Amino acid sequence: RLLGASDPDRHYHLGLSALIARDGLLKRLPQADDLGWGRYFPDKEFLFHALTGSASALGGDNAVLWLVPLLGVLVALLLYAELSRRLPAWQAAAVVCVGMLGTVGFLFRLTLLRPHLLAIACFVLLLLALLRARPRLAGLAAALFALSYHAFYLPLIVAGAAFVLRRQPGMPP
């Protein structure tokens, strides 16, 4: 398998992706009827599974697994996009590389086929939008985050903090 990282949830996400590729978006999951999912499947990572289901339809498990490095590269590019506004390009690249490759926990998380990959990319996009005072992009990034990951409250907290901080004396509008 591509990037053979040890990932306990890999088969679950690959299986859901294959089912979505075959049957379309899932409303029920009879394979997990003990959880009640045979009657109703509350996909708390809807956007991630829509993406992986589309990838599975295009190229099976390998196409789904390619999303892992692609989303990791997207996170790196988004971080670089903001850092390069504040630092020379080579320093921004160095910070991103050292920050991502030098942080074992973060690097490990970027090798797993899990919904948090898409959520991290959406969250970094949200932060980038807030730093650039782009409210529509921030709203879109927050909505994408909420549709891709179950911790929907995180963008609300960040947006609330940004709103409060912008209202402080001496802070730019």
Side-chain angles (χ1 to χ4, degrees):
R1 293 272 177 217
L2 180 68
L3 300 175
S6 174
D7 182 356
D9 287 350
R10 169 185 275 187
H11 296 291
Y12 168 75
H13 294 296
L14 288 173
L16 276 184
S17 303
L19 287 173
I20 291 169
R22 187 188 74 199
D23 302 333
L25 296 177
L26 301 175
K27 293 182 172 64
R28 306 178 317 106
L29 193 61
Q31 296 87 339
D33 197 30
D34 319 7
L35 301 173
W37 291 356
R39 293 180 302 284
Y40 173 70
F41 176 59
D43 191 352
K44 61 191 185 330
E45 289 109 9
F46 164 78
L47 190 59
F48 178 74
H49 289 134
L51 179 64
T52 60
S54 299
S56 183
L58 290 173
D61 287 355
N62 279 336
V64 175
L65 293 173
W66 267 104
L67 290 173
V68 174
L70 291 175
L71 287 169
V73 167
L74 176 62
V75 169
L77 290 174
L78 289 170
L79 290 170
Y80 175 79
E82 186 57 33
L83 287 172
S84 65
R85 294 179 67 200
R86 303 169 191 296
L87 299 171
W90 73 270
Q91 287 179 349
V95 168
V96 170
C97 288
V98 170
M100 290 180 73
L101 299 175
T103 310
V104 175
F106 187 63
L107 183 61
F108 175 70
R109 299 298 274 165
L110 290 177
T111 65
L112 300 174
L113 176 64
R114 300 261 183 96
H116 70 261
L117 281 175
L118 182 58
I120 290 170
C122 294
F123 195 78
V124 172
L125 182 62
L126 169 63
L127 295 176
L128 198 139
L130 290 172
L131 288 171
R132 295 182 182 190
R134 306 268 313 269
R136 287 188 181 121
L137 181 59
L140 175 64
L144 292 174
F145 181 97
L147 289 172
S148 65
Y149 197 61
H150 59 272
F152 64 89
Y153 51 85
L154 290 177
L156 295 174
I157 292 169
V158 170
F163 178 78
V164 169
L165 288 173
R166 287 193 180 270
R167 299 288 179 226
Q168 298 300 314
M171 295 296 291

